[in-house]
Amino acid sequence: MAARPSIESQTKPPAAARCRWLHERYEIQGWLDFLKKKAVPRHHASIFYYLGGMTLFLFFVQVASGILLLLYYRPTAEAAFESVQFIVTQVRFGWLVRSVHSWSANLMVLFAFAHLFSVFFMKAYRKPRELTWVSGTILLVLVLCFGFSGYLLPWNTLAFFATRVGSQIAGALPFVGPHLLRLMRGGEDVTGATLTRFFGFHVAVLPMLTTVLVLLHLMMVQIQGMSLPLRRDGSVPPTGKPTPFFPNFLLRDLLGWFVTIGILAALAALFPWELGQKADPFASAPAGIRPEWYFLFMFETLKFIPAKIGPIDGEILGILGFMGAGLVLVLVPFLDRKAARGRWSLGFTVAGLLALAYMVAMTALSYLRSRQG
Ligand code: HEM
């Protein structure tokens, strides 16, 4: 006698049938097969494969918390500060959402840098992943633009004067500088028009560009799979049995994301993001105006450069130097020909280590100097 079907199977269609329904309409079987086959290499440096996913997760946190903030935020010079004040004092859990958004923004920058340096040192940019690297460098610029544009939105004293200084530095560039300055500020000075522009960039232009680019970046990673790090003798490290992406790797990713939510919540609750005083454009700039920590290494460098180097303005030379360094960073996969041929290139690793040490040292120096007043 045939076994009686369980209550569950009488009420729910079996999983295969549910997939069949979708498959008949959207041919999902190919995607399911791909997910089943996808695996992540396992070796001594596999931990670094989680950094990109962590950056992605923090981007999601930014989008979700940003949408919540949008429910109350008002982007005008008259109302911006008061609307943020309302969010943190009157709206239920508004203080938490604002703090999470601010802390998560900082962690996202940190993880984007950590991801960049890890793929750099593993030489994951080498053939055939050149364009994955290039799309990554553009993503980093977009992430920094998010930080710069978001900083002004609460319209407090610190943000106002830091934006004035930041846009002034960009405006010092030869030829394009004055146009760039006006494009950013929407006039000659930082005013309500600047706030409206920064708001537009922050909530529309940058999210749209970032979404498109992240999709492209992930698509390239999916097509090519994860690379293996290159060792000094040019060989690849011994690998264990690859970790299936679904569900093993994804579950570990999820675990990391849960821990990050905990860290974010703790940071937001223990160190709520300060609001400061409302910006007064007619007041003189307070002492010690500084940009966000991720711009400090450039800010500090500019202070060391003499006002004039020959006939050229020192600041302009500094900015051009950083732009040149940015271009070299984008072109790394095309410049490191040895790595492209699967051979170790000590020069690039040493240059990366020096750049990292320089950035950390300059940031630390900037903090030390600010504490000494
Ligand atoms: C919004 C910023 C970014 C997001 C959301 C993101 C996301 C990801 C994800 C999820 C992966 C696969 C897992 C991993 O390798 O960690 C990946 C791989 C990769 N990313 Fe990014 N990334 C970002 C920025 C960058 C930056 C700044 C660079 C470097 C310039 C970069 C270069 C790469 C490369 C070369 C790979 C392939 C790694 C390999 O095959 O081993 N990404 N990215």
Side-chain angles (χ1 to χ4, degrees), residues 48-49 51-52 112-126 133 217 226-227:
F48 295 118
Y49 291 142
L51 293 177
F113 270 115
H115 177 49
L116 176 141
F117 277 107
S118 72
V119 290
F120 178 85
F121 289 124
M122 292 204 286
K123 303 201 184 288
Y125 53 76
R126 66 187 190 275
W133 171 270
H217 194 71
M226 302 305 296
S227 72

Side-chain angles (χ1 to χ4, degrees), residues 2-18:
R4 282 177 58 189
S6 67
I7 304 260
E8 201 183 37
S9 65
Q10 285 171 14
T11 50
K12 270 188 188 172
R18 266 178 292 172

Side-chain angles (χ1 to χ4, degrees), residues 268-281:
L270 297 176
F271 308 100
W273 209 257
E274 286 191 13
L275 181 55
Q277 301 292 319
K278 182 172 176 168
D280 176 2

Side-chain angles (χ1 to χ4, degrees), residues 48-53 55-56 108 112 115-116 119 124-125 129 132-133 136-137 139-140 143 214 217-218 221 225-227:
F48 295 118
Y49 291 142
Y50 294 95
L51 293 177
T55 317
L56 185 63
M108 185 176 169
H115 177 49
L116 176 141
V119 290
Y125 53 76
R129 293 179 179 77
T132 316
W133 171 270
T137 52
L139 274 172
L140 184 74
V143 171
V214 163
H217 194 71
L218 295 184
V221 174
M226 302 305 296
S227 72

